[in-house]
């Protein structure tokens, strides 16, 4: 290096200058060397430096864009949403409200499962383009991930504006999508809240919107709900219920009641449906409609469902034969590959003939896994267990399910019993369902019979079995014996 510096100085200022250089400090040598090198190719290095800076700036902009945008749809993502909401929160002097709409695509899982994830991605892209075009300059669309989107609309005059916007979103999302693998009809559920002055960040806002979205998803079809304080109260109650339910099974707080099903002509009790109840130490008896959805959401339904099957079999074994027992089984229970074997073990332990047990399922069970459900029902039926389709007439594919799955009994939903004497249409529907049962060689039971007139009508239709308050309300296990004594006994198994 010294030789290089010496040569450079000799060329620039002559030999004497180069010799004098060695008489000064090393720091001067370094300075002179740097100046010499830069001076010899300054223009070239300046161009390279400028290009490098431009490349770095482009990379930085690209990384910033990717950090704030969704790769699939190109929409701003969760990070961008958080920054946008923070901007609104800092604008404390705003005069108009800021609406936040949390959107969840309906039937998205079905598209992924039946058409493939490529089709699901294509649907998300198509939906994002529709909604972004709809919002235009009045709002901004973000994708949180999966099939969840957020629309933020500023300058909201009143609630009616948001209702109109939600309705337009529901209409656009509900229009058919022509994908490469076929046409898809979807929909959207929307939870709505507003940015409040007391909010400290995005999580508070989205939590309210999520509570409203949960309500919207409980409703049928595309719809929207606005957040209310009552929703927060319900959510807190659900959390408490989930916590208490976790110990209810261990503390023997669950019990069964039984409602009889009789032969319409004979009046004999052919079987009794087991109905789950929860005796809460502070809140009293809690109906299954309150805690079963929570049990399904948390996975506790598997343990609770097993408890019901076991106890129903044990209690029914003490009834006079051939009186049977019906047990409701949820779709999640069929995810348990050991469920069929467990039913067999319960029957053997109780000493109950398989033909005296009826497994009741609703059409929602077929949305779990068609193959798994079909295999399980077929195996149960091969054991001699009877299969009933409950709440018939309220699903979307009832006739198809009659063709596909092994069934012994069809239970017409109670809503038809209530309306069949008041509506000619409902009367014809009940008659049609009875004829379908005859066609498929399935026994028919109608639920919700409360009057003698209803009983007389179903008798004229030829429906074989009935259940409802006219016959008996659900009774505790200890009262089943007395109930059976009040009715004539069947001479043989139904089947």
């Amino acid at each position: 290096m010294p030789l290089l510096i010496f040569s450079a100085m000799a060329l620039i200022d002559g030999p004497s200058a180069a010799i004098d250089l060695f008489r000064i400090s090393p720091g001067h040598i370094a300075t002179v060397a740097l100046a010499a090198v830069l001076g010899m190719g300054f223009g070239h290095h300046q161009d390279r430096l400028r290009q490098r800076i431009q490349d770095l700036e482009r990379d930085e902009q690209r990384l910033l864009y990717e950090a704030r945008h969704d790769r699939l749809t190109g929409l701003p993502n969760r990070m961008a949403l958080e920054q946008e909401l923070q901007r609104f929160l800092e604008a404390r002097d705003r005069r108009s409200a800021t609406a936040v709409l949390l959107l969840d695509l309906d039937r998205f899982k079905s598209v992924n499962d039946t058409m493939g994830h490529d089709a699901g991605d294509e649907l998300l892209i198509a939906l994002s383009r529709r909604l972004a075009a709809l919002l235009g300059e009045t709002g901004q669309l973000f994708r949180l991930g999966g099939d969840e989107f957020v629309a933020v609309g500023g300058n909201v005059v009143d609630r009616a504006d948001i209702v109109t916007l939600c309705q337009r979103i529901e209409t656009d999302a509900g229009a058919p999508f022509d994908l490469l693998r076929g046409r898809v009809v979807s929909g959207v559920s929307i939870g709505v809240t507003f940015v409040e002055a007391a909010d400290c960040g995005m999580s508070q806002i989205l939590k309210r919107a999520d509570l409203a979205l949960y309500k919207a998803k409980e409703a049928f079809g595309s719809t929207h709900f606005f957040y209310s304080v009552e929703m927060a109260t319900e959510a807190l109650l659900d959390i408490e219920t989930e916590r208490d339910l976790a110990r209810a099974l261990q503390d023997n707080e669950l019990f069964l009641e039984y409602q009889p099903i009789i032969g319409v002509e004979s009046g004999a009790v052919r079987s009794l449906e087991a109905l789950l109840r929860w005796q809460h130490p502070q809140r009293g008896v809690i109906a299954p409609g309150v805690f079963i959805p929570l049990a399904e959401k948390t996975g506790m339904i598997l343990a609770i469902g097993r408890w019901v099957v076991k106890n129903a079999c044990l209690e029914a074994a003490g009834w006079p034969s051939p009186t049977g027992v019906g047990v409701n089984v949820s779709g999640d229970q069929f995810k348990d590959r050991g469920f069929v074997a467990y039913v067999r073990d319960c029957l053997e332990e109780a000493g109950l003939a398989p033909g005296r047990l009826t497994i009741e399922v609703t059409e929602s069970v077929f949305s779990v896994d068609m193959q798994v459900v079909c295999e399980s029902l077929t195996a149960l039926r091969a054991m001699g267990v009877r299969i009933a389709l409950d709440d018939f007439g309220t699903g979307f594919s009832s006739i198809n399910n009659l063709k596909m799955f092994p069934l012994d009994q069809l239970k017409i939903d109670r809503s038809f019993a209530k309306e069949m004497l008041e509506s000619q249409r409902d009367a014809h529907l009940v008659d049609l369902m009875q004829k379908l049962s005859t066609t498929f060689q399935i026994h028919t039971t109608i639920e919700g019979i409360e009057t003698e007139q209803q009983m007389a009508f179903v008798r004229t239709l030829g429906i074989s079995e009935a259940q409802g308050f006219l016959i008996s309300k659900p009774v505790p296990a200890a009262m089943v014996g007395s109930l059976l004594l009040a009715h004539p006994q069947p001479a043989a198994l139904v089947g």
Side-chain angles (χ1 to χ4, degrees):
M1 185 65 181
L3 180 60
L4 176 62
I5 297 170
F6 180 83
S7 301
M9 291 301 297
L11 289 173
I12 297 170
D13 298 322
S16 58
I19 294 171
D20 290 340
L21 178 64
F22 287 98
R23 298 174 183 167
I24 58 180
S25 66
H28 287 102
I29 297 175
T31 302
V32 173
L34 181 60
V37 172
L38 290 177
M40 291 171 66
F42 181 74
H44 173 69
H45 287 290
Q46 187 178 42
D47 290 342
R48 289 185 61 187
L49 181 60
R50 184 181 298 109
Q51 183 62 46
R52 181 57 178 159
I53 292 173
Q54 289 175 352
D55 290 343
L56 290 172
E57 288 177 345
R58 278 196 299 268
D59 289 343
E60 182 183 14
Q61 292 299 318
R62 178 179 56 81
L63 291 173
L64 286 174
Y65 180 87
E66 290 179 354
R68 299 182 72 256
H69 288 79
D70 173 53
R71 288 188 177 183
L72 177 65
T73 63
L75 292 174
N77 61 12
R78 179 181 288 269
M79 178 186 291
L81 173 63
E82 186 168 12
Q83 293 172 349
E84 181 72 3
L85 291 179
Q86 190 60 43
R87 183 176 68 82
F88 281 113
L89 289 172
E90 291 171 356
R92 298 297 179 180
D93 60 341
R94 61 186 182 277
R95 297 181 180 179
S96 58
T98 299
V100 176
L101 284 62
L102 181 59
L103 289 67
D104 187 271
L105 189 61
D106 297 337
R107 296 181 290 280
F108 177 66
K109 183 178 184 299
S110 176
V111 173
N112 271 337
D113 292 345
T114 60
M115 301 177 70
H117 289 275
D118 288 345
D121 289 347
E122 189 182 356
L123 176 59
L124 292 174
I125 294 170
L127 175 68
S128 66
R129 288 173 179 170
R130 278 190 193 178
L131 297 184
L134 170 64
L135 289 170
E137 297 180 356
T138 64
Q140 191 172 7
L141 186 66
F142 301 80
R143 184 188 177 207
L144 293 187
D147 59 340
E148 279 195 337
F149 296 81
V150 169
V152 177
N155 302 321
V156 178
V157 177
D158 55 32
R159 186 185 179 108
D161 292 340
I162 298 303
V163 171
T164 301
L165 176 60
C166 288
Q167 291 171 342
R168 292 178 63 193
I169 290 174
E170 291 158 15
T171 300
D172 277 20
F177 292 88
D178 290 315
L179 309 181
L180 291 176
R181 298 195 60 182
R183 174 167 287 194
V184 169
V185 177
S186 185
V188 68
S189 300
I190 308 172
V192 185
T193 189
F194 294 92
V195 176
E196 299 176 358
D199 288 330
C200 297
M202 180 179 72
S203 61
Q204 282 183 290
I205 301 168
L206 291 187
K207 184 177 181 179
R208 293 196 303 270
D210 193 52
L211 289 173
L213 176 62
Y214 182 78
K215 282 293 181 184
K217 292 184 71 66
E218 286 182 339
F220 177 76
S222 295
T223 188
H224 59 274
F225 271 76
F226 284 79
Y227 168 80
S228 66
V229 176
E230 290 74 19
M231 290 180 185
T233 303
E234 288 181 22
L236 181 60
L237 182 61
D238 284 348
I239 292 172
E240 293 176 352
T241 303
E242 288 178 20
R243 180 198 62 206
D244 294 345
L245 186 58
R247 51 134 249 281
L249 194 58
Q250 295 179 345
D251 292 353
N252 297 316
E253 295 174 5
L254 300 180
F255 66 98
L256 296 176
E257 289 188 333
Y258 296 90
Q259 188 173 32
I261 298 171
I262 67 167
V264 171
E265 294 297 336
S266 66
V269 176
R270 296 185 172 183
S271 64
L272 296 100
E273 181 181 0
L275 302 169
L276 182 61
R277 304 288 187 261
W278 176 12
Q279 181 67 53
H280 192 281
Q282 284 81 42
R283 296 164 57 185
V285 176
I286 301 178
V290 174
F291 65 87
I292 289 298
L294 296 176
E296 291 176 336
K297 185 176 74 172
T298 60
M300 286 186 284
I301 191 64
L302 299 180
I304 292 174
R306 286 189 167 217
W307 181 91
V308 171
V309 171
K310 181 176 182 178
N311 282 271
C313 288
L314 288 172
E315 291 177 344
W319 305 340
S321 179
T323 306
V325 63
V327 176
N328 294 280
V329 175
S330 76
D332 286 336
Q333 288 175 259
F334 287 102
K335 296 177 183 177
D336 177 7
R337 287 292 187 171
F339 177 69
V340 173
Y342 181 78
V343 172
R344 181 188 295 111
D345 293 342
C346 289
L347 290 169
E348 292 177 355
E349 180 184 350
L352 186 70
R356 293 178 62 188
L357 174 64
T358 299
I359 296 294
E360 298 188 11
V361 298
T362 63
E363 287 187 294
S364 62
V365 77
F366 302 120
S367 65
V368 175
D369 186 318
M370 298 287 276
Q371 183 176 352
V372 169
V373 172
C374 190
E375 290 175 355
S376 298
L377 293 181
T378 301
L380 288 167
R381 202 160 183 254
M383 288 165 44
V385 174
R386 302 177 73 247
I387 307 298
L389 183 59
D390 200 8
D391 299 337
F392 184 75
T394 59
F396 293 105
S397 55
S398 299
I399 296 176
N400 189 49
N401 289 336
L402 290 179
K403 292 170 57 179
M404 291 182 61
F405 296 96
L407 299 172
D408 299 281
Q409 184 180 2
L410 192 72
K411 300 187 74 175
I412 300 174
D413 187 70
R414 67 184 65 249
S415 60
F416 292 96
K418 182 179 180 180
E419 300 293 336
M420 65 186 178
L421 296 184
E422 301 175 7
S423 165
Q424 188 175 18
R425 183 194 65 178
D426 285 287
H428 285 318
L429 285 173
V430 173
D431 185 34
L432 177 61
M433 285 185 270
Q434 163 60 17
K435 290 176 179 176
L436 279 172
S437 298
T438 302
T439 300
F440 289 101
Q441 299 180 335
I442 301 171
H443 288 281
T444 312
T445 302
I446 186 164
E447 303 172 301
I449 298 299
E450 299 181 356
T451 68
E452 291 289 354
Q453 290 81 4
Q454 291 173 339
M455 182 66 85
F457 183 72
V458 300
R459 188 178 290 114
T460 62
L461 295 179
I463 293 175
S464 58
E465 297 177 348
Q467 180 181 11
F469 285 178
L470 176 66
I471 301 153
S472 173
K473 293 182 178 181
V475 299
M479 292 181 61
V480 170
S482 300
L483 186 148
L484 293 176
L485 290 174
H487 292 267
Q489 296 304 298
L493 282 171
V494 178

